[in-house]
Amino acid sequence: MESSSFCTDQSNLGRLKMKWTQVFFTLSLTVGGVYTDTTVTIHPQWLAQGGSAHYDSNRWNKHNNLDQAFLIPKCRSIRTDSGRWSDRDYNGRLFLDWPEDPNRSGYPDPNHLKNVTKQKELFSAYIENINSGYENDMIMMAEALFYPSWIDTSEHDGHFPNNVDAAAEFMMLMVQGVYDYTKGQMVPPYFEPINEPDGKWHILNFTTINIFHKLVAEKLHARFNIKVAGPTLTEETGHSDVNDFLYWHKVANFMDVTLGYIDVFSFHAYNTLVASGKSHNFTGINEARLIAFVDLVENYAFQKTGKIIPLVISEYGRGGIIGRDKFAPSPIVDFSTIYQANAHRFTQLGLREYIDRAVVFLLANEEWPGRYSLNYSLFTLQGNATRIVDVYEFWYKFTSDFSFLRTTSQYDGAERTVSPLAMSSPLINETVILLHSYSRMAQAVKLVFQKNWITPTTGEATCITLKDDWFPVITFNEPINIQKTQGVVELPPEATCQFTFKIPSNKLPSVTLNETTFYGVDMLLPIKGNVTVTAINLPSSQFYSARLRVSTSWPINETNSVSHLTFNLHPLDSFFKLYDSDKFTSTTYWQVWEFVVPTSLFATGPNLVQVHFSKNMTAGYVSSVALVAAKLVPSDLKS
């Protein structure tokens, strides 16, 4: 997505009081017959992914672009700060005005950024944004398409040097300028050499993109302690399966060239708002296609290197708008921006083993002369909060004192429309169940605490939902009583809710479920007939539980489904499908099916997996198979 303006900060918001009128609604809880649409089970186990069960707000709370100085405190009052420094090479004509090296024709002058005054002009805003005691997780991103007239760009439509090594030299010297200005203390931890290069197909092909990333990585690693991320792909990632995975093959070729050089695989993830009259829907990558793409990347990395590669989602959230002016103020646009930021975060928090960090595409303020839209802005230029701060108000309470609990959805053979999370804080004696709804209808959700490990009764609900006239509404701390409703809560349409219960720390789990993913030995398996076969290699170990993700893709005119699996010849038919928001607009069904796998079926070495379909097929693929296996270990979380 095109980056825009600077971000910011606000004064106390008095513990987050809105300046617009809040509309409060009461959660109508199902009583009596206890009809439920679905069940979420909360287990007496902490859930560790990537070796940790802790909620790390630094990984998830950042927003795009540097903040203007007066807005920095305002952003921090809602517990967000800048996570991505965009377009330093382009802003202020840094590269455009860079002189040629008098001693090396066709290369930038290495002395251009030695001037301290010039360094301060270019880099002081970055220091303002990180110099406040917050952890510096900044991703520095280059646009990489604007260069001085003395360099030959004739092969790339006048936008990128023919000499790719010279282009990489520009990147190295820019980072060197930051290094020199900060005396080596504050180099950005991450660097993206070019933003969304796959969207510049008329300028660059993937061969050039691949070589550029490899050269930048070599130059930066030779001088700095920095992680190089790429290829920073567009939202086209959600259509990687179209035309027999044509786009994915380009991404795989990028990995062939750059694995071992780049440190992090980065990409963008968006969902589009489609509005017509008084109706709306969303299309895009979240939830199913995002997980299917992650599994493609990680499966391929595992095949090539024997390990997964850390991921960075450096832009995500609400993308394009169809049927509305994307710049005009609109309550449904505000709701969509809030809703998609939350929806994507729910998915990301279930992928903590792979995702190193994610930066939502929200800005402190996006206004500049000639553009006065606030549709991605947290604050006005006067420092007033917009509705978009609801995103951070919802997550405000979650700090590193919270850790994740294991949850499971109902394995009912249907598409899941409620995404669950759960966290507890032994420090403040709170257990919070978080639910996100993909449905346009209210849903009755039964909360089951496995084996009654806790028996909460009364609590409080905080929800963001869409009310009359398409206005987003956040309600705080509404009282609930799940004892009266036999554990059932009502989730409003397209709502994101948290249900908080006071639970003493001595009731919290004493064990941790530690998840690790094992990928299939094959990828992009063509579907011929009604069975596809692969294998997953497992070590000799004692596992407590397991779930198997199978991603499938076939043309939209094919009517088929996964009927069941066999794991080492034992049939498995307990599954659900992840929510596919793109199923009404895409030319393919790219679906993810999650099965329960009893660990008693495991064998050391190859484990045979057979995917069975409801009817014979001559088109389509099983794109990946991922077994998430977990060990039960004593907890090191302090109560």
Side-chain angles (χ1 to χ4, degrees):
M1 174 170 284
E2 182 178 314
S3 301
S4 44
S5 62
F6 300 112
C7 181
T8 102
D9 203 88
Q10 131 164 15
S11 59
N12 218 306
L13 269 181
R15 195 32 202 168
L16 314 173
K17 286 190 175 149
M18 299 297 87
K19 299 205 173 173
W20 58 88
T21 303
Q22 290 185 350
V23 181
F24 290 90
F25 67 93
T26 302
L27 289 170
S28 57
L29 299 174
T30 307
V31 189
V34 196
Y35 169 80
T36 60
D37 293 292
T38 192
T39 298
V40 169
T41 302
I42 303 95
H43 299 260
Q45 298 141 11
W46 301 108
L47 179 63
Q49 294 179 337
S52 174
H54 285 289
Y55 178 82
D56 182 357
S57 60
N58 281 305
R59 291 170 66 182
W60 316 110
N61 275 15
K62 303 296 176 75
H63 58 263
N64 261 263
N65 287 7
L66 297 185
D67 303 345
Q68 291 167 291
F70 80 99
L71 288 176
I72 292 174
K74 292 192 176 294
C75 283
R76 297 207 168 131
S77 73
I78 55 172
R79 290 186 175 160
T80 181
D81 59 328
S82 172
R84 192 166 183 243
W85 179 13
S86 302
D87 301 337
R88 179 63 280 175
D89 59 319
Y90 171 63
N91 291 332
R93 296 177 58 89
L94 174 56
F95 281 11
L96 285 167
D97 293 340
W98 200 302
E100 187 175 15
D101 185 349
N103 301 312
R104 192 183 186 195
S105 178
Y107 280 80
D109 185 347
N111 296 310
H112 181 56
L113 288 188
K114 298 296 184 184
N115 182 287
V116 175
T117 302
K118 184 73 172 174
Q119 291 172 359
K120 183 176 181 180
E121 173 192 333
L122 294 168
F123 308 132
S124 59
Y126 161 64
I127 299 303
E128 284 180 332
N129 273 257
I130 65 168
N131 207 13
S132 66
Y134 273 62
E135 181 179 319
N136 180 14
D137 301 309
M138 189 69 72
I139 302 166
M140 186 180 191
M141 176 271 282
E143 194 65 33
L145 292 179
F146 302 92
Y147 294 86
S149 58
W150 52 260
I151 198 164
D152 188 357
T153 56
S154 59
E155 294 176 8
H156 302 292
D157 197 35
H159 285 285
F160 192 84
N162 298 354
N163 181 349
V164 182
D165 186 70
E169 192 80 2
F170 274 95
M171 301 299 159
M172 184 275 291
L173 291 174
M174 178 170 63
V175 176
Q176 182 71 53
V178 181
Y179 181 93
D180 293 343
Y181 181 60
T182 65
K183 298 180 171 52
Q185 299 302 306
M186 297 182 184
V187 171
Y190 300 84
F191 186 78
E192 292 179 316
I194 183 169
N195 189 49
E196 299 190 338
D198 54 320
K200 284 99 175 177
W201 53 268
H202 57 293
I203 298 171
L204 297 168
N205 59 36
F206 261 90
T207 300
T208 304
I209 293 166
N210 301 347
I211 295 169
F212 180 54
H213 278 83
K214 180 175 178 288
L215 291 172
V216 170
E218 288 178 325
K219 290 176 184 289
L220 293 186
H221 288 150
R223 296 191 178 207
F224 315 112
N225 180 21
I226 194 169
K227 294 179 180 178
V228 177
T232 319
L233 298 170
T234 66
E235 59 198 285
E236 189 63 23
T237 49
H239 300 123
S240 295
D241 66 321
V242 173
N243 294 325
D244 294 318
F245 287 83
L246 178 64
Y247 179 87
W248 163 251
H249 287 299
K250 296 176 182 178
V251 177
N253 182 248
F254 170 85
M255 296 175 71
D256 290 339
V257 175
T258 61
L259 283 174
Y261 295 93
I262 65 167
D263 305 280
V264 176
F265 186 98
S266 68
F267 66 99
H268 298 163
Y270 285 103
N271 279 61
T272 295
L273 166 66
V274 181
S276 177
K278 291 298 290 180
S279 66
H280 74 279
N281 59 39
F282 299 106
T283 67
I285 194 171
N286 193 53
E287 139 187 81
R289 289 168 181 262
L290 176 54
I291 293 175
F293 180 74
V294 165
D295 277 342
L296 270 181
V297 172
E298 297 297 8
N299 201 340
Y300 197 72
F302 191 83
Q303 285 188 358
K304 289 288 183 178
T305 67
K307 59 184 179 180
I308 64 173
I309 184 169
L311 307 178
V312 163
I313 304 178
S314 54
E315 291 182 19
Y316 73 88
R318 193 266 299 159
I321 300 172
I322 298 172
R324 288 285 185 280
D325 183 336
K326 67 178 181 179
F327 297 119
S330 165
I332 188 59
V333 171
D334 286 347
F335 171 74
S336 303
T337 305
I338 297 164
Y339 179 82
Q340 291 300 337
N342 285 328
H344 280 248
R345 194 189 293 205
F346 263 70
T347 306
Q348 293 160 9
L349 292 176
L351 299 171
R352 303 189 313 280
E353 181 182 352
Y354 329 103
I355 299 177
D356 185 68
R357 63 192 56 257
V359 185
V360 67
F361 195 83
L362 298 177
L363 313 168
N365 180 271
E366 62 181 311
E367 296 174 281
W368 67 79
R371 175 171 166 175
Y372 300 99
S373 174
L374 290 170
N375 285 348
Y376 285 110
S377 298
L378 297 168
F379 300 97
T380 68
L381 285 176
Q382 292 70 44
N384 298 321
T386 71
R387 289 192 185 94
I388 309 305
V389 300
D390 284 3
V391 173
Y392 290 103
E393 290 195 322
F394 183 84
W395 297 97
Y396 184 87
K397 72 189 292 178
F398 298 106
T399 65
S400 59
D401 296 325
F402 278 86
S403 294
F404 289 93
L405 296 168
R406 179 191 177 198
T407 62
T408 51
S409 297
Q410 185 171 326
Y411 288 88
D412 57 3
E415 184 176 57
R416 186 177 76 169
T417 57
V418 175
S419 176
L421 295 167
M423 288 190 267
S424 280
S425 169
L427 187 68
I428 61 174
N429 294 329
E430 284 190 358
T431 293
V432 187
I433 315 305
L434 300 98
L435 303 176
H436 179 83
S437 174
Y438 291 104
S439 175
R440 302 279 302 279
M441 307 291 290
Q443 297 186 82
V445 182
K446 185 172 178 61
L447 304 180
V448 175
F449 296 89
Q450 188 192 42
K451 297 180 180 178
N452 292 321
W453 67 278
I454 54 175
T455 55
T457 55
T458 60
E460 295 179 333
T462 292
C463 285
I464 301 175
T465 190
L466 188 62
K467 296 300 282 185
D468 298 337
D469 299 320
W470 276 0
F471 275 88
V473 174
I474 185 167
T475 62
F476 295 101
N477 306 326
E478 292 288 293
I480 58 172
N481 188 328
I482 64 169
Q483 186 178 43
K484 289 183 178 179
T485 62
Q486 299 178 48
V488 176
V489 295
E490 183 175 307
L491 191 58
E494 291 183 316
T496 310
C497 292
Q498 51 179 264
F499 302 93
T500 301
F501 304 98
K502 286 291 185 182
I503 304 296
S505 59
N506 63 2
K507 299 286 187 182
L508 295 179
S510 59
V511 292
T512 297
L513 200 70
N514 198 349
E515 291 188 336
T516 303
T517 303
F518 299 92
Y519 282 100
V521 297
D522 305 297
M523 293 177 60
L524 299 189
L525 289 157
I527 301 172
K528 304 295 183 186
N530 65 349
V531 182
T532 298
V533 182
T534 186
I536 298 174
N537 288 314
L538 291 176
S540 174
S541 195
Q542 197 71 34
F543 292 101
Y544 176 80
S545 67
R547 50 197 175 91
L548 185 69
R549 286 196 302 266
V550 177
S551 300
T552 61
S553 169
W554 49 72
I556 205 77
N557 57 3
E558 289 276 355
T559 54
N560 206 349
S561 65
V562 174
S563 61
H564 67 284
L565 298 183
T566 59
F567 192 95
N568 289 332
L569 303 180
H570 293 267
L572 305 173
D573 58 6
S574 182
F575 70 90
F576 63 79
K577 285 196 304 181
L578 296 178
Y579 186 76
D580 179 13
S581 60
D582 226 30
K583 58 181 173 286
F584 300 117
T585 57
S586 178
T587 59
T588 61
Y589 290 118
W590 196 11
Q591 301 173 104
V592 180
W593 317 70
E594 182 171 307
F595 286 77
V596 177
V597 184
T599 57
S600 59
L601 304 180
F602 286 9
T604 301
N607 289 257
L608 181 68
V609 177
Q610 296 168 294
V611 184
H612 296 257
F613 301 94
S614 60
K615 68 176 190 178
N616 288 335
M617 293 184 67
T618 58
Y621 296 85
V622 173
S623 58
S624 64
V625 175
L627 181 70
V628 183
K631 296 179 180 181
L632 203 59
V633 297
S635 173
D636 60 357
L637 296 174
K638 304 237 182 343
S639 60

